[in-house]
Each structure stands twice: as structure tokens, then as C-alpha cells.
């Protein structure tokens, strides 16, 4: 299944996880063969495949791609957040960012499945009409400013390859597609366009496996986690070498609870001995960096610069070991207790400084005053690239 580099062959996978898995298999095979170094097989997720081609074509000065800026997923989401916020300015949504992300996903699905946008623009549902309005506005603005949405990157790459035959030297001779259970009409057109340019494109057919489907109803999510952990334990008792996959629809929300159940079922000794050996399982979804205490506290302090924060956040900052001075940690815990007694629901930077002064935390109060002075001095607008330096400076002022 692995690509042959001598034949300029590329294996394109439907997901990042499958790509990592195949690269790990290649590494294991090389180690088993006694190799200490080897050439990396050309295995890429589909998005990375198109981005690599675009990057190579952008180095060619005569090609149109050289003059267009590609908008990443995050950059596109920022644009759509602006559209959503402007549309609902009189009655703001509670989750503007979530609405923007969902709308952008829906717009990409419309493109991938080549839905009739003109018909959707006259749909009875207001949400559908707004989706088309935002999508058209976004693509018009991209065209005006020579920007290229990441989802339109394959079309731009194919257009350049069709227009400039000399650029086709960047194409592999063979492409094999793995893990594509469902192919949209637009994706089919893209692969057919590469075939027309002389590339051999083939689908890897997964081997047929005899399978059995059982459905077990559970009382709630907790019972479901316990049941699946017990099921995994029994399967591993039967065959310790087998690989087992668990599909969780809302993994981000259920990750911690499921992890506890799996540890309890598979490595119960860790709970008693605090063993730090590697776990016998892993999660495909990484934990957000913002959930790490160091980063979460830094983001909370930056949020205080012009917002009120919930009491729970202010209380956590009082206990934060990353906020200087450490010598006042005991007094800061007393400050937190006083904040609880006073019944504050939200805190501003000024509120926190006032209470720190009142509760005999002079070093913290002075750091917060310096923070306020620095924020006032930095009131001038700057380019986005300067904000990282500004944020770092603010945290330094606080003794981070």
C-alpha cells in the first residue's frame, strides 16, 4: 500500500489520522528490516497534498498563484464571524464564533456537492438565504483583494496546471487514494482533472471484513462510557494484540470522562500507585492548548484588559502559581476567600486591583496598576503582527 518514491508515487489519504497511521506502519517496517535511516514515503492528507502543490507553484513567478494570498481555515472563519456579527448587530448571537464556523462548513458542503446556489438564495428559510448571502459576499471580497480561500485551492492549482504545461513537472506520476468512503462531485472532478493531465489516479479498495453490528442502549453518557470500557477490556483479554477503535460523536466534551473509565478498566493500578507509564490507548483529538493551566491563566489575564470575567476565572487567577509574586500566594488565597464572601459575580481589572489593595496584597495590586498603565499607553492601533509582542509585554508587566 505504501507509495514507491522511485516512480514518483503519492498516497493521498482522506484524513490526517490515516496518514499518521500509515507513516507509523512504514517506520515500523523499516525498523523491523534493520534500517536505522530511510526515506520518508510520500503520504499526505488530501488538504496537505493540494497545499504542497500550491506552494510549489507559488514559487514560479510567471504563474497566477504567485500573486494570490491563501486564506487558512482560521482566517476564513474570522471573515465569517464578521459577517455574522454585522447581520445580528441589533440582536447579537450568544455564540457568534460557533455560528460562523457552522455557516462556513455549510457553504463548503454546498460547493463540494455543487448545490444550486441560485435556488438556495430564494429558499423559504431565512438561515439558508443568509448562508448564500454570506458565501457570495465572502467570495466577492476574496476576488477583489486577490485572496484565495483554502477550500478553492485545488481549482486554482488545476487551472494553473492546465494553463502552463511546464508546471506539470511538480505532479506525481501516480496518485493512490486511501480512506475515501464518500467522494463528493467536486472531488471527483478534481481527480478526473488530474487524470486528464496525465496522472494515474487510483482508489485503494479496503479489504472486505466480516462484521457484526449490535446495538446496546445505555441510560446516559456515563453508563455508556463504563460499558464501552468494560467491552474493550473483555476484547483485549481474548486477544491482547488486536487494535480496537472507539468512535465518540462528541469527543471534545466526553474525553475526560471516557479517559477515566478506560484507565479504571485497563490500568486500574495507576489509580493506586500514581504510575506514569504510557497509557495503552490514545485519543485522535488532541487536547486544546487553551485548557492547559499555564495558557488558560495567561488568556484570562489578557481577557481582563478590556472585559469583565466570571468569578470562577478571577478565583483561579488568585490561586495561579504563574502570577508573581509567589511570596503573596498565601495572601492571594485569603483574597479569594474574601471575594467569595463578598458575593462578586464578575470582576474587572479595576475591581481586582481595589480588592488586592484592600486585602493587603500590595505587590499584586502594584502589578495590576502597572498592567492598567501599560494598557492605556498601548491604546494606539497596531498591525496584527504586533499584537503578539504586545501581549508578551503585558504578561511580563504582570510578572508572568
Amino acid at each position: 500500500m505504501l507509495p514507491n518514491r522511485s516512480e514518483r508515487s503519492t498516497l493521498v489519504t482522506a484524513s490526517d489520522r490515516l496518514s499518521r497511521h500509515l507513516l507509523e506502519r512504514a517506520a515500523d517496517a523499516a525498523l523491523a528490516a534493520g534500517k536505522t535511516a530511510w526515506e520518508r514515503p510520500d503520504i499526505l492528507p488530501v488538504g496537505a497534498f493540494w497545499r504542497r502543490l500550491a506552494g510549489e507553484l507559488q514559487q514560479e513567478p510567471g504563474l497566477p498563484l504567485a500573486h494570490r494570498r491563501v486564506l487558512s481555515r482560521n482566517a476564513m472563519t474570522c471573515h465569517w464571524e464578521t459577517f455574522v456579527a454585522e447581520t445580528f448587530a441589533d440582536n447579537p448571537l450568544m455564540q457568534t464564533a460557533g455560528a460562523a464556523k457552522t455557516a462556513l462548513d455549510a457553504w463548503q458542503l454546498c460547493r463540494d456537492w455543487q448545490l444550486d446556489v441560485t435556488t438556495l438564495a430564494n429558499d423559504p428559510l431565512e438561515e439558508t438565504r443568509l448562508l448564500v448571502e454570506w458565501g457570495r459576499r465572502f467570495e466577492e471580497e476574496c476576488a477583489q483583494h486577490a485572496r484565495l480561500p483554502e477550500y478553492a485551492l485545488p481549482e486554482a492549482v488545476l487551472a494553473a496546471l492546465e494553463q502552463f504545461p511546464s508546471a506539470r513537472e511538480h505532479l506525481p506520476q501516480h496518485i493512490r487514494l486511501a480512506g475515501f468512503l464518500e467522494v463528493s462531485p467536486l472531488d471527483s472532478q478534481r481527480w478526473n482533472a488530474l487524470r486528464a493531465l496525465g496522472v494515474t489516479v487510483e482508489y485503494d479498495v479496503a479489504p472486505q471484513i466480516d462484521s457484526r453490528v449490535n446495538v446496546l442502549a445505555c441510560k446516559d453518557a456515563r453508563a455508556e462510557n463504563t460499558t464501552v470500557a468494560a467491552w474493550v477490556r473483555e476484547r483485549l483479554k481474548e486477544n491482547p494484540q488486536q487494535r480496537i477503535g472507539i468512535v465518540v460523536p462528541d469527543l471534545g466534551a466526553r474525553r475526560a470522562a471516557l479517559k477515566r473509565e478506560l484507565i479504571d478498566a485497563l490500568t486500574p493500578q495507576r489509580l493506586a500507585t500514581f504510575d506514569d507509564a504510557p497509557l495503552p490507548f490514545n485519543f485522535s483529538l488532541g487536547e486544546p492548548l487553551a485548557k492547559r493551566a499555564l495558557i488558560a491563566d495567561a488568556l484570562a489575564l489578557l481577557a481582563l484588559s478590556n472585559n469583565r470575567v466570571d468569578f470562577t476565572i478571577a478565583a483561579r487567577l488568585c490561586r495561579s502559581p504563574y502570577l508573581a509574586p509567589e511570596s503573596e500566594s498565601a495572601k492571594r488565597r485569603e483574597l479569594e476567600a474574601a471575594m467569595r464572601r463578598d458575593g462578586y459575580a464578575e470582576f474587572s481589572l479595576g475591581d481586582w486591583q481595589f480588592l488586592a489593595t484592600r486585602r493587603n496584597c500590595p505587590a499584586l495590586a502594584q502589578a495590576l496598576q502597572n498592567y492598567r498603565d501599560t494598557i492605556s499607553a498601548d491604546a494606539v492601533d497596531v498591525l496584527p503582527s504586533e499584537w503578539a509582542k504586545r501581549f508578551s509585554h503585558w504578561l511580563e508587566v504582570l510578572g508572568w
Side-chain angles (χ1 to χ4, degrees):
M1 187 177 183
L2 298 179
N4 189 331
R5 292 297 294 261
S6 63
E7 297 178 356
R8 290 176 55 200
S9 176
T10 300
L11 180 61
V12 178
T13 65
S15 66
D16 293 351
R17 182 173 177 80
L18 178 57
S19 177
R20 290 195 302 270
H21 171 68
L22 294 176
L23 287 170
E24 289 172 2
R25 280 182 51 186
D28 291 342
L31 290 172
K35 296 181 179 179
T36 57
W38 56 89
E39 190 174 12
R40 181 187 185 276
D42 196 22
I43 303 174
L44 293 170
V46 61
F49 168 75
W50 291 112
R51 286 193 296 272
R52 184 178 71 177
L53 267 180
E56 293 172 348
L57 296 179
Q58 284 178 323
Q59 303 305 313
E60 303 285 345
L63 300 186
L65 272 176
H67 308 289
R68 301 191 69 180
R69 176 190 170 195
V70 179
L71 291 181
S72 67
R73 171 72 185 187
N74 287 338
M76 291 191 294
T77 303
C78 287
H79 282 276
W80 281 70
E81 285 182 23
T82 302
F83 302 157
V84 174
E86 290 177 356
T87 301
F88 297 99
D90 296 333
N91 188 18
L93 301 178
M94 294 184 64
Q95 294 290 340
T96 299
K101 180 180 179 300
T102 301
L104 177 56
D105 289 340
W107 181 249
Q108 289 186 228
L109 283 173
C110 289
R111 297 184 77 263
D112 289 345
W113 293 92
Q114 299 179 334
L115 302 185
D116 187 349
V117 176
T118 303
T119 301
L120 294 177
N122 299 311
D123 193 86
L125 287 177
E126 181 184 9
E127 292 87 346
T128 307
R129 297 196 300 272
L130 284 174
L131 172 66
V132 175
E133 177 185 332
W134 295 334
R136 286 175 169 173
R137 176 182 170 186
F138 174 64
E139 296 194 349
E140 287 172 2
E141 291 184 2
C142 287
Q144 290 173 3
H145 298 92
R147 295 169 182 159
L148 182 63
E150 191 174 65
Y151 63 69
L153 194 59
E155 283 68 48
V157 168
L158 291 169
L161 292 171
E162 291 170 358
Q163 187 176 357
F164 298 91
S166 60
R168 298 174 192 174
E169 64 183 14
H170 297 289
L171 287 172
Q173 293 177 344
H174 308 281
I175 294 176
R176 289 160 54 206
L177 306 175
F180 289 84
L181 302 180
E182 189 175 45
V183 182
S184 70
L186 185 57
D187 278 331
S188 294
Q189 289 183 5
R190 292 165 176 169
W191 302 127
N192 288 334
L194 286 177
R195 291 187 180 100
L197 294 174
V199 180
T200 302
V201 181
E202 300 174 333
Y203 285 93
D204 265 336
V205 180
Q208 294 295 321
I209 300 176
D210 292 334
S211 59
R212 184 180 61 198
V213 177
N214 293 324
V215 178
L216 177 63
C218 297
K219 180 179 178 181
D220 51 27
R222 181 176 181 180
E224 194 172 38
N225 291 339
T226 303
T227 301
V228 75
W231 178 83
V232 169
R233 181 182 59 214
E234 295 305 315
R235 299 289 78 72
L236 290 176
K237 284 182 179 178
E238 296 172 0
N239 180 7
Q241 303 303 318
Q242 65 180 313
R243 296 173 61 89
I244 299 174
I246 303 173
V247 180
V248 184
D250 191 11
L251 182 56
R254 298 176 58 177
R255 176 192 179 112
L258 180 58
K259 181 179 179 180
R260 287 194 298 270
E261 294 293 345
L262 289 171
I263 290 176
D264 186 44
L266 304 180
T267 57
Q269 68 277 8
R270 294 176 68 96
L271 302 177
T273 62
F274 300 101
D275 186 7
D276 60 354
L279 291 169
F281 58 86
N282 67 80
F283 289 90
S284 61
L285 179 67
E287 187 177 6
L289 186 61
K291 287 192 174 182
R292 298 288 182 177
L294 174 66
I295 306 303
D297 290 355
L299 292 175
L301 287 169
L302 294 175
L304 267 173
S305 63
N306 65 348
N307 292 294
R308 301 180 68 84
V309 299
D310 186 75
F311 165 76
T312 56
I313 297 177
R316 190 181 73 237
L317 290 176
C318 284
R319 301 189 301 271
S320 175
Y322 311 110
L323 184 60
E326 187 177 352
S327 59
E328 281 189 354
S329 58
K331 292 181 179 179
R332 292 210 306 268
R333 286 193 290 272
E334 295 177 3
L335 170 61
E336 178 194 353
M339 291 160 55
R340 292 181 184 276
R341 288 194 301 270
D342 292 344
Y344 281 82
E346 293 182 332
F347 286 84
S348 67
L349 185 55
D351 294 333
W352 200 20
Q353 181 193 354
F354 170 75
L355 289 172
T357 304
R358 183 180 168 189
R359 294 291 174 175
N360 196 26
C361 295
L364 175 60
Q366 185 59 53
L368 295 174
Q369 180 60 54
N370 295 340
Y371 187 29
R372 296 180 70 182
D373 294 341
T374 303
I375 292 171
S376 299
D378 288 344
V380 180
D381 291 338
V382 294
L383 294 172
S385 58
E386 294 296 318
W387 275 103
K389 298 178 183 177
R390 182 172 285 188
F391 288 156
S392 297
H393 178 56
W394 289 0
L395 293 173
E396 288 174 4
V397 167
L398 285 163
W400 194 251

